[in-house]
Amino acid sequence: MPKSVPLMALGIFAMVTSELLVGGLMPQMAEDLGTTVPRIGYLITAFALAMAIGGPILTLAVLRLRTHHALLALFVVFFAGNTLAALAPGYGLMVLARLITGAAAGAFFGVAFSAVAQVTPAHLRGRATGLALQGLMVGTLLGLPLSALIGVQFGWRSAFVFVGALTVVVAIATLLALPRMDRPGSANSSKEAFRRPQLWRVMGTSTLIIGATFAAFSYFTPVLTEVSGFPRGIVPLLLLVYGGATVVGTMVVSRLAQSHTITVIVTGLALNTVFLVVFALYAHLPGVALTAMAGVGLVGITLNPAMITRVQRVGDTGPLVNTVHSSFITLGVVLGSWVGGLGVEEFGLRAPLWVGVGLALLALAAMVPAARRAARVGHEAADTAQERSSAGEGPRNILVT
């Protein structure tokens, strides 16, 4: 595995930590910035929306640069945003800082995955993508509690300083370790990919897959305390169990993503549906609830390597396709948490789990054509085969299982 791939994971870790650290420091930030806790919560939403909308725009701005220069430019923008956050005297500048860091993070995901594809042999891309994505999983698992600990001990601004310092270290290491490569792509090179309806359908399926998990994940804490009956003090440890499951699940999926793409996604969705149903039905039983939550961790967002592999086959490995796909994934986070919240208001705390079930079933339904094609022709890259065949193109290294 190229040594630059773990550096992509560290870069993603820094950006995910920056995204989530607000959640652990809300009271301190609200008091110091002279605002309310709910308004501090909107900073997380601002980051996510900037990833989804600003990420592709910023990606377009760096497409003319060579890959290592594009990554360095995004590190610089991200560092500038974190520095502004650490120094922000008021809420308005903090919002601006979150918009800057969110856009940089969204673009970084796309360029980083494109870089991974460029430096890794084709048969190892799924595993390499999974390794890079461990930055997301470990960031979710450790980034939030670590930044919260730093913020509590030394002040909330120090947490942003920590992320900024980590960004500088990773940027320098990446610049030294990443091979000199050509430009990652251009707007024109991805234009043909975006003309394929299948690409949009595949990315839309990713939205449903992530939405199914985040509808439940967004409300794990109140479900575990108010329905399952766990003490509030133990919930962080329970969430570590979930985070550990995502790390393990990503390791497994990344090994299979390249050779069994469709099978992995369908199987993972089916299992996630089962775990969510069990969680919804038996959330009042602590042992069953914990087991089901860990199961969601194993087969939920861990499908990312397979989803990315599928999108790259239907589209291309360029940064713009990867960034737009990241935007669709972020949309899944927003969709799942929003619809789950509506369910809580109308039907109670089990509702988000059932919302997750509904979104997972929609995703399974969307996967039926690809699964049928894969079973019929024996290709895990059935999406690619069907799309390019309908466009009159010849076969292009379709992987057979």
Side-chain angles (χ1 to χ4, degrees), residues 350-367:
R350 293 181 195 245
L353 305 174
W354 289 114
V355 170
V357 172
L359 292 174
L361 290 174
L362 287 174
L364 274 172
M367 288 298 300

Side-chain angles (χ1 to χ4, degrees), residues 20-44 91 144 147-149 151-152 155-157 160:
L20 298 178
L21 68 81
V22 171
L25 300 170
M26 285 186 178
Q28 302 97 306
M29 292 181 66
E31 181 179 357
D32 192 49
L33 294 173
T35 187
T36 63
V37 168
R39 291 189 75 202
I40 295 297
Y42 295 150
L43 296 175
I44 301 175
Y91 183 77
L144 176 58
S147 59
L149 177 62
V152 169
W156 66 266
R157 296 180 188 274
F160 286 99

Side-chain angles (χ1 to χ4, degrees), residues 275-344:
F275 285 127
L276 287 168
V277 167
V278 171
F279 201 172
L281 290 175
Y282 302 103
H284 59 286
L285 301 177
V288 177
L290 181 59
T291 302
M293 183 184 70
V296 173
L298 281 172
V299 296
I301 63 172
T302 57
L303 294 180
N304 262 305
M307 294 189 303
I308 291 170
T309 298
R310 189 180 181 216
V311 164
Q312 289 180 345
R313 282 180 177 155
V314 176
D316 57 39
T317 60
L320 191 56
V321 168
N322 282 305
T323 302
V324 172
H325 183 221
S326 294
S327 296
F328 272 74
I329 289 173
T330 303
L331 178 61
V333 175
V334 175
L335 173 68
S337 58
W338 175 61
V339 180
L342 294 178
V344 171

Side-chain angles (χ1 to χ4, degrees), residues 192-355:
E192 185 61 34
F194 286 119
R195 286 175 177 168
R196 299 172 190 152
Q198 183 70 3
L199 177 60
W200 298 102
R201 288 195 291 268
V202 168
M203 292 193 294
T205 303
S206 294
T207 298
L208 294 173
I209 293 170
I210 297 301
T213 297
F214 268 85
F217 173 77
S218 301
Y219 299 93
F220 275 171
T221 295
V223 171
L224 291 172
T225 56
E226 299 183 34
V227 180
S228 304
F230 286 105
R232 291 186 179 182
I234 202 176
V235 169
L237 295 178
L238 302 182
L239 294 178
L240 283 176
V241 173
Y242 171 85
T246 66
V247 172
V248 173
T250 300
M251 292 173 61
V252 174
V253 170
S254 64
R255 289 181 173 273
L256 301 173
Q258 195 71 29
S259 57
H260 298 83
T261 312
I262 304 300
T263 301
V264 165
I265 294 174
V266 171
T267 303
L269 272 171
L271 289 173
N272 201 24
T273 303
V274 171
F275 285 127
L276 287 168
V277 167
V278 171
F279 201 172
L281 290 175
Y282 302 103
H284 59 286
L285 301 177
V288 177
L290 181 59
T291 302
M293 183 184 70
V296 173
L298 281 172
V299 296
I301 63 172
T302 57
L303 294 180
N304 262 305
M307 294 189 303
I308 291 170
T309 298
R310 189 180 181 216
V311 164
Q312 289 180 345
R313 282 180 177 155
V314 176
D316 57 39
T317 60
L320 191 56
V321 168
N322 282 305
T323 302
V324 172
H325 183 221
S326 294
S327 296
F328 272 74
I329 289 173
T330 303
L331 178 61
V333 175
V334 175
L335 173 68
S337 58
W338 175 61
V339 180
L342 294 178
V344 171
E345 292 178 358
E346 293 294 330
F347 303 105
L349 283 172
R350 293 181 195 245
L353 305 174
W354 289 114
V355 170

Side-chain angles (χ1 to χ4, degrees), residues 161-187:
V161 173
F162 162 72
V163 173
L166 178 61
T167 300
V168 171
V169 172
V170 178
I172 294 173
T174 301
L175 190 62
L176 295 175
L178 195 67
R180 298 300 184 260
M181 293 178 286
D182 293 332
R183 289 184 301 171
S186 66

Side-chain angles (χ1 to χ4, degrees), residues 26-74:
M26 285 186 178
Q28 302 97 306
M29 292 181 66
E31 181 179 357
D32 192 49
L33 294 173
T35 187
T36 63
V37 168
R39 291 189 75 202
I40 295 297
Y42 295 150
L43 296 175
I44 301 175
T45 305
F47 191 103
L49 290 175
M51 281 189 69
I53 300 172
I57 296 173
L58 193 53
T59 299
L60 285 171
V62 300
L63 282 181
R64 294 185 178 276
L65 302 176
R66 293 179 181 271
T67 299
H68 55 287
H69 289 154
L71 288 170
L72 181 61
L74 294 174

